Amino acid sequence: MDAIPHVIILSKNEILREGLRRILADQGFKVDLTASRMTDLGSATSGAVLLVDVVVFEEGLHTCQTLRDKFPDQKIVLMTDEYSVENVTRAFSTGAIDGFIVKAMSCEPLAGALRLISLGEKVIPSQVVDSLSGALYRSTTPNWQARCAGANLSSREVEILRCLVDGDPNKVISRRLSITDATVKVHIKAILRKLHVKNRTQAAIWAVERGLNLDGSGDQSLRHAAVA
């Protein structure tokens, strides 16, 4: 019985396809096929993990859903440049994928994740676990929840508001939450509108006054926020 895991790589980027092929071959995989388009796949090899590299999440999810319809028994993995908890949750809820991988991953963990998926396990970015842990921690703050209820902030906006309390500039927030700078700006604009404040410092003060700084570092955080 062949114990070597098989993989098929679908990516529009030729350099990335070749790089992944060499990396996975060095990690003991058999790369059955690399392709730039779904139409190049033909009848995918049964039992192979289908690794789908994308830049735009929506496009990638649509590709995975189409592949799931065509190859219902195939193990499908979505590989993206960045992630959000919402996107990971949405992708898995469709049933289109068996794994969600972020490209900022070294070779051995990538191979390990694909091996687990080939064995029937589900794989999510490790950062999601950290985000979920933080969400559980924040969910135990009744004072904060009660005091901010009228603001109608989304969970993502609360995460960004916490970053503002910590004094993080947009680039740091972008890296911290694995979203683009443009997305950060959109969320901050929405936060300022919902809180009826003029700037990020006032937003941070609003949050601290309502108990968001659970670690007791509110004063220091506000000094940082004022110069961000």
Side-chain angles (χ1 to χ4, degrees):
M1 183 177 179
D2 187 5
I4 299 175
H6 290 242
V7 66
I8 295 169
I9 301 168
L10 178 63
S11 173
K12 294 180 180 179
N13 188 315
E14 182 179 359
I15 295 175
L16 192 143
R17 286 200 309 273
E18 179 62 19
L20 283 173
R21 186 190 67 79
R22 295 187 181 187
I23 288 169
L24 294 176
D26 289 343
Q27 292 293 325
F29 284 77
K30 185 179 187 306
V31 180
D32 295 329
L33 177 69
T34 66
S36 60
R37 300 172 300 177
M38 283 191 291
T39 53
D40 296 333
L41 293 178
S43 56
T45 305
S46 177
V49 175
L50 182 50
L51 181 59
V52 182
D53 163 59
V54 298
V55 176
V56 181
F57 170 76
E58 294 293 341
E59 178 184 348
L61 181 57
H62 176 72
T63 298
C64 290
Q65 289 173 312
T66 302
L67 291 170
R68 175 63 73 207
D69 291 338
K70 187 175 182 180
F71 308 112
D73 299 324
Q74 203 89 18
K75 303 298 183 185
I76 300 175
V77 181
L78 181 62
M79 172 180 275
T80 67
D81 289 311
E82 57 185 33
Y83 86 100
S84 71
V85 174
E86 291 84 356
N87 284 351
V88 173
T89 302
R90 182 179 165 200
F92 275 102
S93 68
T94 65
I97 67 170
D98 299 281
F100 194 115
I101 292 176
V102 179
K103 292 177 188 175
M105 176 184 283
S106 57
C107 300
E108 290 187 6
L110 171 62
L114 294 179
R115 285 194 179 92
L116 285 173
I117 293 167
S118 71
L119 294 172
E121 300 293 334
K122 305 293 186 183
V123 172
I124 65 174
S126 60
Q127 300 95 326
V128 172
V129 178
D130 296 333
S131 297
L132 291 176
S133 298
L136 288 173
Y137 176 67
R138 290 190 292 275
S139 70
T140 62
T141 59
N143 289 340
W144 160 252
Q145 289 182 336
R147 293 170 181 172
C148 76
N152 195 29
L153 296 170
S154 68
S155 58
R156 176 62 83 189
E157 287 166 352
V158 173
E159 288 179 332
I160 291 178
L161 187 55
R162 180 176 290 277
C163 292
L164 295 184
V165 170
D166 290 340
D168 295 336
N170 288 1
K171 289 184 178 180
V172 173
I173 297 174
S174 174
R175 292 195 299 269
R176 183 170 168 179
L177 301 182
S178 297
I179 57 179
T180 65
D181 286 357
T183 301
V184 172
K185 291 178 182 178
V186 170
H187 282 304
I188 290 179
K189 185 176 180 180
I191 290 169
L192 298 183
R193 184 182 70 252
K194 290 181 178 181
L195 301 187
H196 305 291
V197 297
K198 294 181 180 180
N199 54 53
R200 59 202 297 140
T201 301
Q202 291 180 0
I205 293 172
W206 184 97
V208 170
E209 288 177 342
R210 286 159 180 79
L212 187 59
N213 60 326
L214 300 178
D215 59 1
S217 60
D219 293 340
Q220 183 65 33
S221 298
L222 288 178
R223 283 197 290 273
H224 288 308
V227 298

